[in-house]
mmCIF file with all atom_site columns, all heavy atoms in Angstrom:
data_model
loop_
_atom_site.group_PDB
_atom_site.id
_atom_site.type_symbol
_atom_site.label_atom_id
_atom_site.label_alt_id
_atom_site.label_comp_id
_atom_site.label_asym_id
_atom_site.label_entity_id
_atom_site.label_seq_id
_atom_site.pdbx_PDB_ins_code
_atom_site.Cartn_x
_atom_site.Cartn_y
_atom_site.Cartn_z
_atom_site.occupancy
_atom_site.B_iso_or_equiv
_atom_site.pdbx_formal_charge
_atom_site.auth_seq_id
_atom_site.auth_comp_id
_atom_site.auth_asym_id
_atom_site.auth_atom_id
_atom_site.pdbx_PDB_model_num
ATOM 1   N N   . THR A 1 4  ? -154.029 -14.392 19.772 1.00 0.00 ? 4  THR A N   1
ATOM 2   C CA  . THR A 1 4  ? -153.910 -14.099 18.338 1.00 0.00 ? 4  THR A CA  1
ATOM 3   C C   . THR A 1 4  ? -153.543 -12.634 18.043 1.00 0.00 ? 4  THR A C   1
ATOM 4   O O   . THR A 1 4  ? -153.066 -12.299 16.968 1.00 0.00 ? 4  THR A O   1
ATOM 5   C CB  . THR A 1 4  ? -155.215 -14.425 17.603 1.00 0.00 ? 4  THR A CB  1
ATOM 6   O OG1 . THR A 1 4  ? -156.297 -13.633 18.222 1.00 0.00 ? 4  THR A OG1 1
ATOM 7   C CG2 . THR A 1 4  ? -155.526 -15.887 17.669 1.00 0.00 ? 4  THR A CG2 1
ATOM 8   N N   . TYR A 1 5  ? -153.753 -11.776 19.046 1.00 0.00 ? 5  TYR A N   1
ATOM 9   C CA  . TYR A 1 5  ? -153.503 -10.335 18.801 1.00 0.00 ? 5  TYR A CA  1
ATOM 10  C C   . TYR A 1 5  ? -153.089 -9.708  20.182 1.00 0.00 ? 5  TYR A C   1
ATOM 11  O O   . TYR A 1 5  ? -153.683 -10.108 21.197 1.00 0.00 ? 5  TYR A O   1
ATOM 12  C CB  . TYR A 1 5  ? -154.719 -9.664  18.236 1.00 0.00 ? 5  TYR A CB  1
ATOM 13  C CG  . TYR A 1 5  ? -154.581 -8.137  18.105 1.00 0.00 ? 5  TYR A CG  1
ATOM 14  C CD1 . TYR A 1 5  ? -153.895 -7.574  17.069 1.00 0.00 ? 5  TYR A CD1 1
ATOM 15  C CD2 . TYR A 1 5  ? -155.150 -7.295  19.054 1.00 0.00 ? 5  TYR A CD2 1
ATOM 16  C CE1 . TYR A 1 5  ? -153.758 -6.205  16.950 1.00 0.00 ? 5  TYR A CE1 1
ATOM 17  C CE2 . TYR A 1 5  ? -155.042 -5.885  18.928 1.00 0.00 ? 5  TYR A CE2 1
ATOM 18  C CZ  . TYR A 1 5  ? -154.354 -5.382  17.874 1.00 0.00 ? 5  TYR A CZ  1
ATOM 19  O OH  . TYR A 1 5  ? -154.224 -4.001  17.730 1.00 0.00 ? 5  TYR A OH  1
ATOM 20  N N   . GLU A 1 17 ? -148.290 -3.121  18.285 1.00 0.00 ? 17 GLU A N   1
ATOM 21  C CA  . GLU A 1 17 ? -149.246 -4.206  18.135 1.00 0.00 ? 17 GLU A CA  1
ATOM 22  C C   . GLU A 1 17 ? -148.602 -5.387  17.409 1.00 0.00 ? 17 GLU A C   1
ATOM 23  O O   . GLU A 1 17 ? -147.650 -5.199  16.668 1.00 0.00 ? 17 GLU A O   1
ATOM 24  C CB  . GLU A 1 17 ? -150.501 -3.732  17.451 1.00 0.00 ? 17 GLU A CB  1
ATOM 25  C CG  . GLU A 1 17 ? -150.352 -3.321  15.996 1.00 0.00 ? 17 GLU A CG  1
ATOM 26  C CD  . GLU A 1 17 ? -151.670 -2.833  15.350 1.00 0.00 ? 17 GLU A CD  1
ATOM 27  O OE1 . GLU A 1 17 ? -152.738 -3.175  15.846 1.00 0.00 ? 17 GLU A OE1 1
ATOM 28  O OE2 . GLU A 1 17 ? -151.564 -2.099  14.393 1.00 0.00 ? 17 GLU A OE2 1
ATOM 29  N N   . SER A 1 19 ? -150.027 -9.100  15.486 1.00 0.00 ? 19 SER A N   1
ATOM 30  C CA  . SER A 1 19 ? -151.125 -9.968  15.105 1.00 0.00 ? 19 SER A CA  1
ATOM 31  C C   . SER A 1 19 ? -150.530 -11.250 14.540 1.00 0.00 ? 19 SER A C   1
ATOM 32  O O   . SER A 1 19 ? -149.707 -11.241 13.661 1.00 0.00 ? 19 SER A O   1
ATOM 33  C CB  . SER A 1 19 ? -151.980 -9.250  13.983 1.00 0.00 ? 19 SER A CB  1
ATOM 34  O OG  . SER A 1 19 ? -152.980 -10.164 13.528 1.00 0.00 ? 19 SER A OG  1
ATOM 35  N N   . LEU A 1 20 ? -150.935 -12.384 15.158 1.00 0.00 ? 20 LEU A N   1
ATOM 36  C CA  . LEU A 1 20 ? -150.382 -13.664 14.705 1.00 0.00 ? 20 LEU A CA  1
ATOM 37  C C   . LEU A 1 20 ? -151.184 -14.309 13.602 1.00 0.00 ? 20 LEU A C   1
ATOM 38  O O   . LEU A 1 20 ? -150.760 -15.219 12.925 1.00 0.00 ? 20 LEU A O   1
ATOM 39  C CB  . LEU A 1 20 ? -150.321 -14.640 15.894 1.00 0.00 ? 20 LEU A CB  1
ATOM 40  C CG  . LEU A 1 20 ? -149.419 -14.180 17.043 1.00 0.00 ? 20 LEU A CG  1
ATOM 41  C CD1 . LEU A 1 20 ? -149.468 -15.234 18.190 1.00 0.00 ? 20 LEU A CD1 1
ATOM 42  C CD2 . LEU A 1 20 ? -147.998 -14.007 16.577 1.00 0.00 ? 20 LEU A CD2 1
ATOM 43  N N   . THR A 1 21 ? -152.398 -13.803 13.367 1.00 0.00 ? 21 THR A N   1
ATOM 44  C CA  . THR A 1 21 ? -153.208 -14.329 12.246 1.00 0.00 ? 21 THR A CA  1
ATOM 45  C C   . THR A 1 21 ? -153.606 -13.126 11.372 1.00 0.00 ? 21 THR A C   1
ATOM 46  O O   . THR A 1 21 ? -153.413 -11.980 11.703 1.00 0.00 ? 21 THR A O   1
ATOM 47  C CB  . THR A 1 21 ? -154.492 -14.996 12.813 1.00 0.00 ? 21 THR A CB  1
ATOM 48  O OG1 . THR A 1 21 ? -155.266 -14.037 13.508 1.00 0.00 ? 21 THR A OG1 1
ATOM 49  C CG2 . THR A 1 21 ? -154.180 -16.158 13.706 1.00 0.00 ? 21 THR A CG2 1
ATOM 50  N N   . GLY A 1 22 ? -154.187 -13.483 10.262 1.00 0.00 ? 22 GLY A N   1
ATOM 51  C CA  . GLY A 1 22 ? -154.540 -12.432 9.277  1.00 0.00 ? 22 GLY A CA  1
ATOM 52  C C   . GLY A 1 22 ? -155.786 -11.685 9.562  1.00 0.00 ? 22 GLY A C   1
ATOM 53  O O   . GLY A 1 22 ? -156.231 -10.937 8.708  1.00 0.00 ? 22 GLY A O   1
ATOM 54  N N   . GLY A 1 23 ? -156.369 -11.845 10.714 1.00 0.00 ? 23 GLY A N   1
ATOM 55  C CA  . GLY A 1 23 ? -157.624 -11.165 10.992 1.00 0.00 ? 23 GLY A CA  1
ATOM 56  C C   . GLY A 1 23 ? -157.475 -9.693  11.123 1.00 0.00 ? 23 GLY A C   1
ATOM 57  O O   . GLY A 1 23 ? -156.390 -9.182  11.328 1.00 0.00 ? 23 GLY A O   1
ATOM 58  N N   . SER A 1 24 ? -158.603 -8.982  11.020 1.00 0.00 ? 24 SER A N   1
ATOM 59  C CA  . SER A 1 24 ? -158.584 -7.522  11.163 1.00 0.00 ? 24 SER A CA  1
ATOM 60  C C   . SER A 1 24 ? -159.044 -7.153  12.589 1.00 0.00 ? 24 SER A C   1
ATOM 61  O O   . SER A 1 24 ? -160.206 -7.224  12.932 1.00 0.00 ? 24 SER A O   1
ATOM 62  C CB  . SER A 1 24 ? -159.507 -6.862  10.159 1.00 0.00 ? 24 SER A CB  1
ATOM 63  O OG  . SER A 1 24 ? -159.586 -5.471  10.373 1.00 0.00 ? 24 SER A OG  1
ATOM 64  N N   . TYR A 1 25 ? -158.095 -6.808  13.409 1.00 0.00 ? 25 TYR A N   1
ATOM 65  C CA  . TYR A 1 25 ? -158.350 -6.569  14.819 1.00 0.00 ? 25 TYR A CA  1
ATOM 66  C C   . TYR A 1 25 ? -158.470 -5.074  15.139 1.00 0.00 ? 25 TYR A C   1
ATOM 67  O O   . TYR A 1 25 ? -158.894 -4.702  16.266 1.00 0.00 ? 25 TYR A O   1
ATOM 68  C CB  . TYR A 1 25 ? -157.226 -7.151  15.688 1.00 0.00 ? 25 TYR A CB  1
ATOM 69  C CG  . TYR A 1 25 ? -157.112 -8.680  15.567 1.00 0.00 ? 25 TYR A CG  1
ATOM 70  C CD1 . TYR A 1 25 ? -156.194 -9.211  14.685 1.00 0.00 ? 25 TYR A CD1 1
ATOM 71  C CD2 . TYR A 1 25 ? -157.894 -9.476  16.319 1.00 0.00 ? 25 TYR A CD2 1
ATOM 72  C CE1 . TYR A 1 25 ? -156.063 -10.586 14.578 1.00 0.00 ? 25 TYR A CE1 1
ATOM 73  C CE2 . TYR A 1 25 ? -157.762 -10.861 16.248 1.00 0.00 ? 25 TYR A CE2 1
ATOM 74  C CZ  . TYR A 1 25 ? -156.851 -11.397 15.375 1.00 0.00 ? 25 TYR A CZ  1
ATOM 75  O OH  . TYR A 1 25 ? -156.716 -12.754 15.266 1.00 0.00 ? 25 TYR A OH  1
ATOM 76  N N   . GLN A 1 26 ? -158.054 -4.195  14.267 1.00 0.00 ? 26 GLN A N   1
ATOM 77  C CA  . GLN A 1 26 ? -157.988 -2.804  14.548 1.00 0.00 ? 26 GLN A CA  1
ATOM 78  C C   . GLN A 1 26 ? -159.341 -2.198  14.992 1.00 0.00 ? 26 GLN A C   1
ATOM 79  O O   . GLN A 1 26 ? -159.365 -1.426  15.961 1.00 0.00 ? 26 GLN A O   1
ATOM 80  C CB  . GLN A 1 26 ? -157.426 -2.002  13.332 1.00 0.00 ? 26 GLN A CB  1
ATOM 81  C CG  . GLN A 1 26 ? -155.921 -2.081  13.175 1.00 0.00 ? 26 GLN A CG  1
ATOM 82  C CD  . GLN A 1 26 ? -155.505 -3.418  12.505 1.00 0.00 ? 26 GLN A CD  1
ATOM 83  O OE1 . GLN A 1 26 ? -156.332 -4.105  11.956 1.00 0.00 ? 26 GLN A OE1 1
ATOM 84  N NE2 . GLN A 1 26 ? -154.245 -3.783  12.714 1.00 0.00 ? 26 GLN A NE2 1
ATOM 85  N N   . GLU A 1 27 ? -160.410 -2.534  14.262 1.00 0.00 ? 27 GLU A N   1
ATOM 86  C CA  . GLU A 1 27 ? -161.680 -1.935  14.656 1.00 0.00 ? 27 GLU A CA  1
ATOM 87  C C   . GLU A 1 27 ? -162.178 -2.442  16.026 1.00 0.00 ? 27 GLU A C   1
ATOM 88  O O   . GLU A 1 27 ? -162.568 -1.636  16.853 1.00 0.00 ? 27 GLU A O   1
ATOM 89  C CB  . GLU A 1 27 ? -162.787 -2.303  13.609 1.00 0.00 ? 27 GLU A CB  1
ATOM 90  C CG  . GLU A 1 27 ? -162.718 -1.484  12.361 1.00 0.00 ? 27 GLU A CG  1
ATOM 91  C CD  . GLU A 1 27 ? -163.880 -1.857  11.422 1.00 0.00 ? 27 GLU A CD  1
ATOM 92  O OE1 . GLU A 1 27 ? -164.973 -1.996  11.894 1.00 0.00 ? 27 GLU A OE1 1
ATOM 93  O OE2 . GLU A 1 27 ? -163.601 -1.890  10.214 1.00 0.00 ? 27 GLU A OE2 1
ATOM 94  N N   . ALA A 1 28 ? -162.032 -3.745  16.246 1.00 0.00 ? 28 ALA A N   1
ATOM 95  C CA  . ALA A 1 28 ? -162.459 -4.289  17.557 1.00 0.00 ? 28 ALA A CA  1
ATOM 96  C C   . ALA A 1 28 ? -161.537 -3.757  18.674 1.00 0.00 ? 28 ALA A C   1
ATOM 97  O O   . ALA A 1 28 ? -162.034 -3.398  19.753 1.00 0.00 ? 28 ALA A O   1
ATOM 98  C CB  . ALA A 1 28 ? -162.421 -5.816  17.480 1.00 0.00 ? 28 ALA A CB  1
ATOM 99  N N   . ALA A 1 29 ? -160.250 -3.662  18.388 1.00 0.00 ? 29 ALA A N   1
ATOM 100 C CA  . ALA A 1 29 ? -159.339 -3.157  19.404 1.00 0.00 ? 29 ALA A CA  1
ATOM 101 C C   . ALA A 1 29 ? -159.677 -1.681  19.709 1.00 0.00 ? 29 ALA A C   1
ATOM 102 O O   . ALA A 1 29 ? -159.622 -1.264  20.891 1.00 0.00 ? 29 ALA A O   1
ATOM 103 C CB  . ALA A 1 29 ? -157.880 -3.293  18.919 1.00 0.00 ? 29 ALA A CB  1
ATOM 104 N N   . ALA A 1 30 ? -159.962 -0.890  18.704 1.00 0.00 ? 30 ALA A N   1
ATOM 105 C CA  . ALA A 1 30 ? -160.377 0.503   18.918 1.00 0.00 ? 30 ALA A CA  1
ATOM 106 C C   . ALA A 1 30 ? -161.594 0.598   19.797 1.00 0.00 ? 30 ALA A C   1
ATOM 107 O O   . ALA A 1 30 ? -161.668 1.426   20.734 1.00 0.00 ? 30 ALA A O   1
ATOM 108 C CB  . ALA A 1 30 ? -160.572 1.235   17.610 1.00 0.00 ? 30 ALA A CB  1
ATOM 109 N N   . MET A 1 48 ? -166.049 -10.021 21.526 1.00 0.00 ? 48 MET A N   1
ATOM 110 C CA  . MET A 1 48 ? -166.471 -9.337  20.351 1.00 0.00 ? 48 MET A CA  1
ATOM 111 C C   . MET A 1 48 ? -166.278 -10.295 19.178 1.00 0.00 ? 48 MET A C   1
ATOM 112 O O   . MET A 1 48 ? -165.134 -10.699 18.900 1.00 0.00 ? 48 MET A O   1
ATOM 113 C CB  . MET A 1 48 ? -165.688 -8.046  20.128 1.00 0.00 ? 48 MET A CB  1
ATOM 114 C CG  . MET A 1 48 ? -165.877 -7.007  21.227 1.00 0.00 ? 48 MET A CG  1
ATOM 115 S SD  . MET A 1 48 ? -165.112 -5.480  20.821 1.00 0.00 ? 48 MET A SD  1
ATOM 116 C CE  . MET A 1 48 ? -166.498 -4.630  20.170 1.00 0.00 ? 48 MET A CE  1
ATOM 117 N N   . GLY A 1 49 ? -167.332 -10.698 18.513 1.00 0.00 ? 49 GLY A N   1
ATOM 118 C CA  . GLY A 1 49 ? -167.218 -11.633 17.483 1.00 0.00 ? 49 GLY A CA  1
ATOM 119 C C   . GLY A 1 49 ? -166.751 -12.978 18.039 1.00 0.00 ? 49 GLY A C   1
ATOM 120 O O   . GLY A 1 49 ? -167.214 -13.458 19.076 1.00 0.00 ? 49 GLY A O   1
ATOM 121 N N   . SER A 1 50 ? -165.773 -13.595 17.390 1.00 0.00 ? 50 SER A N   1
ATOM 122 C CA  . SER A 1 50 ? -165.288 -14.929 17.838 1.00 0.00 ? 50 SER A CA  1
ATOM 123 C C   . SER A 1 50 ? -164.101 -14.764 18.762 1.00 0.00 ? 50 SER A C   1
ATOM 124 O O   . SER A 1 50 ? -163.474 -15.796 19.056 1.00 0.00 ? 50 SER A O   1
ATOM 125 C CB  . SER A 1 50 ? -164.992 -15.755 16.616 1.00 0.00 ? 50 SER A CB  1
ATOM 126 O OG  . SER A 1 50 ? -163.983 -15.134 15.862 1.00 0.00 ? 50 SER A OG  1
ATOM 127 N N   . PHE A 1 51 ? -163.726 -13.535 19.164 1.00 0.00 ? 51 PHE A N   1
ATOM 128 C CA  . PHE A 1 51 ? -162.550 -13.356 20.008 1.00 0.00 ? 51 PHE A CA  1
ATOM 129 C C   . PHE A 1 51 ? -162.922 -12.737 21.351 1.00 0.00 ? 51 PHE A C   1
ATOM 130 O O   . PHE A 1 51 ? -163.889 -12.012 21.493 1.00 0.00 ? 51 PHE A O   1
ATOM 131 C CB  . PHE A 1 51 ? -161.497 -12.457 19.283 1.00 0.00 ? 51 PHE A CB  1
ATOM 132 C CG  . PHE A 1 51 ? -160.981 -13.080 18.054 1.00 0.00 ? 51 PHE A CG  1
ATOM 133 C CD1 . PHE A 1 51 ? -161.410 -12.692 16.813 1.00 0.00 ? 51 PHE A CD1 1
ATOM 134 C CD2 . PHE A 1 51 ? -159.975 -14.009 18.133 1.00 0.00 ? 51 PHE A CD2 1
ATOM 135 C CE1 . PHE A 1 51 ? -160.915 -13.284 15.675 1.00 0.00 ? 51 PHE A CE1 1
ATOM 136 C CE2 . PHE A 1 51 ? -159.460 -14.634 17.004 1.00 0.00 ? 51 PHE A CE2 1
ATOM 137 C CZ  . PHE A 1 51 ? -159.926 -14.226 15.751 1.00 0.00 ? 51 PHE A CZ  1
ATOM 138 N N   . TYR A 1 53 ? -161.412 -10.338 24.310 1.00 0.00 ? 53 TYR A N   1
ATOM 139 C CA  . TYR A 1 53 ? -160.373 -9.303  24.501 1.00 0.00 ? 53 TYR A CA  1
ATOM 140 C C   . TYR A 1 53 ? -160.185 -9.155  25.993 1.00 0.00 ? 53 TYR A C   1
ATOM 141 O O   . TYR A 1 53 ? -161.094 -8.916  26.747 1.00 0.00 ? 53 TYR A O   1
ATOM 142 C CB  . TYR A 1 53 ? -160.779 -7.964  23.842 1.00 0.00 ? 53 TYR A CB  1
ATOM 143 C CG  . TYR A 1 53 ? -160.774 -8.076  22.349 1.00 0.00 ? 53 TYR A CG  1
ATOM 144 C CD1 . TYR A 1 53 ? -161.899 -8.554  21.639 1.00 0.00 ? 53 TYR A CD1 1
ATOM 145 C CD2 . TYR A 1 53 ? -159.657 -7.732  21.662 1.00 0.00 ? 53 TYR A CD2 1
ATOM 146 C CE1 . TYR A 1 53 ? -161.864 -8.629  20.281 1.00 0.00 ? 53 TYR A CE1 1
ATOM 147 C CE2 . TYR A 1 53 ? -159.606 -7.795  20.284 1.00 0.00 ? 53 TYR A CE2 1
ATOM 148 C CZ  . TYR A 1 53 ? -160.723 -8.273  19.581 1.00 0.00 ? 53 TYR A CZ  1
ATOM 149 O OH  . TYR A 1 53 ? -160.655 -8.365  18.220 1.00 0.00 ? 53 TYR A OH  1
ATOM 150 N N   . ALA A 1 66 ? -156.030 -10.541 22.464 1.00 0.00 ? 66 ALA A N   1
ATOM 151 C CA  . ALA A 1 66 ? -157.215 -11.213 21.994 1.00 0.00 ? 66 ALA A CA  1
ATOM 152 C C   . ALA A 1 66 ? -156.923 -12.704 21.953 1.00 0.00 ? 66 ALA A C   1
ATOM 153 O O   . ALA A 1 66 ? -155.867 -13.119 21.454 1.00 0.00 ? 66 ALA A O   1
ATOM 154 C CB  . ALA A 1 66 ? -157.606 -10.693 20.605 1.00 0.00 ? 66 ALA A CB  1
#
Side-chain angles (χ1 to χ4, degrees):
T4 57
Y5 174 78
E17 66 181 337
S19 175
L20 298 179
T21 62
S24 176
Y25 297 96
Q26 283 78 17
E27 282 185 41
M48 298 186 96
S50 61
F51 295 101
Y53 291 86

